[in-house]
Amino acid sequence: MKKPIDAQTEAVRITLIGMALDLALGLGKIVGGIMSASFALVADGVHSLTDAVTDIFVLVIARTAYAAPDRGHPYGHGRFEAVGTIVMGIVFFITAAVLLYDASQRLAAVDELVVPGLFGAIIAAISIASKEWIYRFTLATAERLNSSLLRANAWHSRSDALSSIAVLIGIVGGQFGVVWLDTLAAMFVALLIAKIGWDLCSESIRELVDTALPDKRRSEFEDCLKATPGVKGLTDLRSRLSGGKAIVEVHLVVDPRISVSEGHQIGASASARLRENFTDVGEGIPHVDPQG
């Protein structure tokens, strides 16, 4: 079952808003970091610019992932979301490695560090407020569309807000003589980026290798299907994810004396019931077996 026709439009709209914000914050933080001598703020600016780059990537993937099924992809293009999310996670790892290396080099020459200016703290505070707002906005859209790619992008925005908090602490700490705290904040930013990259990659890999849904979710599906009129029992329920949507395949046990047409109708009803009760189910594939 394909996503609603306006899903792609909504995903593109929220991503464009986030990208404009990321570009403005990224450039502002880099310039502000240079002016206030805050390496942490410069690192945070790079983080924001990687957000803008991944926003562009999300736009490209979203156009593909939400496309209708075709002859070459009869089950739709949802798996492109998982692939795109893995690529985003790899970008996070590379960004984190570069920032960690630069920060370690600066800590090695701690005597040469200068006190960051308070002007950088103002920029960090603006970043915290704006990125937290776009995080909540994007996550709400992701939950509504059940999009793993948008959810990943939302958490990227949240990571930017958290890293800006570390930057703010580093700059304020520098005012009290703890000059190295700014560089330590930059390292925290890098580790946070790496952690989110790991989470995104591991989740999407589970989808690509057809990992079954949790047992609790499976039980909920079974209870729903058993309540379908005409279903005498279930055997061999299997599930997997594709583009944030569950594909459920199940064998339904029915009365052996009913007609083929009646059996087909029971299967169709069970499939429809599953999709109506669970918004994360994209397709239900019933197989009708005679009892006994």
Side-chain angles (χ1 to χ4, degrees):
M1 182 179 180
K2 65 181 181 180
K3 297 179 187 288
I5 192 67
D6 63 343
Q8 179 176 320
T9 302
E10 193 168 355
V12 168
R13 180 177 65 87
I14 186 61
T15 304
L16 285 174
I17 293 173
M19 184 171 66
L21 182 62
D22 291 332
L23 287 172
L25 286 175
L27 294 175
K29 284 190 279 192
I30 290 176
V31 173
I34 294 173
M35 293 176 60
S36 61
S38 172
F39 176 66
L41 191 58
V42 172
D44 204 24
V46 173
H47 186 192
S48 292
L49 289 183
T50 63
D51 279 356
V53 172
T54 53
D55 285 335
I56 296 174
F57 189 76
V58 168
L59 290 174
V60 174
I61 294 297
R63 293 184 65 86
T64 303
Y66 291 148
D70 54 35
R71 185 177 182 85
H73 302 86
Y75 290 99
H77 302 76
R79 287 287 173 87
F80 282 97
E81 279 202 18
V83 174
T85 304
I86 289 175
V87 174
M88 285 178 63
I90 293 173
V91 171
F92 286 13
F93 278 126
I94 295 173
T95 303
V98 173
L99 293 178
L100 277 174
Y101 175 78
D102 288 346
S104 63
Q105 293 294 100
R106 290 175 65 84
L107 280 180
V110 67
D111 294 335
E112 301 176 9
L113 298 177
V114 298
V115 178
L118 279 176
F119 173 68
I122 298 175
I123 297 177
I126 294 173
S127 174
I128 293 169
S130 56
K131 293 300 290 186
E132 181 64 17
W133 170 77
I134 196 63
Y135 157 75
R136 293 177 182 274
F137 194 16
T138 305
L139 187 62
T141 304
E143 296 299 334
R144 189 162 56 252
L145 302 180
N146 201 32
S147 169
S148 62
L149 191 63
L150 282 181
R151 194 175 293 114
N153 212 28
W155 277 103
H156 200 178
S157 296
R158 167 58 72 84
S159 73
D160 207 359
L162 294 176
S163 65
S164 293
I165 293 175
V167 171
L168 183 61
I169 294 173
I171 293 175
V172 173
Q175 308 306 307
F176 293 93
V178 191
V179 183
W180 50 265
L181 195 58
D182 181 73
T183 304
L184 193 64
M187 298 184 76
F188 172 78
V189 172
L191 291 174
L192 185 62
I193 295 172
K195 170 62 167 58
I196 294 175
W198 169 261
D199 291 342
L200 297 180
C201 286
S202 60
E203 179 181 341
S204 295
I205 288 174
R206 286 196 295 270
E207 177 176 330
L208 289 179
V209 298
D210 285 338
T211 302
L213 271 67
D215 290 340
K216 180 181 178 181
R217 202 60 170 156
R218 172 193 171 100
S219 297
E220 292 173 348
F221 292 159
E222 290 178 345
D223 292 341
C224 176
L225 291 168
K226 287 177 181 177
T228 305
V231 174
K232 303 295 184 180
L234 307 177
T235 61
D236 194 23
L237 186 148
R238 293 182 292 177
S239 62
R240 57 190 174 92
L241 284 175
S242 179
K245 291 285 189 178
I247 297 178
V248 181
E249 186 172 358
V250 62
H251 286 254
L252 304 175
V253 178
V254 301
D255 190 327
R257 293 165 296 185
I258 64 175
S259 66
V260 173
S261 177
E262 289 175 305
H264 173 77
Q265 185 59 44
I266 291 173
S269 297
S271 177
R273 183 185 182 88
L274 198 62
R275 295 194 305 272
E276 289 170 1
N277 283 273
F278 302 99
T279 57
D280 61 332
V281 173
E283 186 172 1
I285 306 174
H287 301 279
V288 179
D289 296 332
Q291 189 176 35

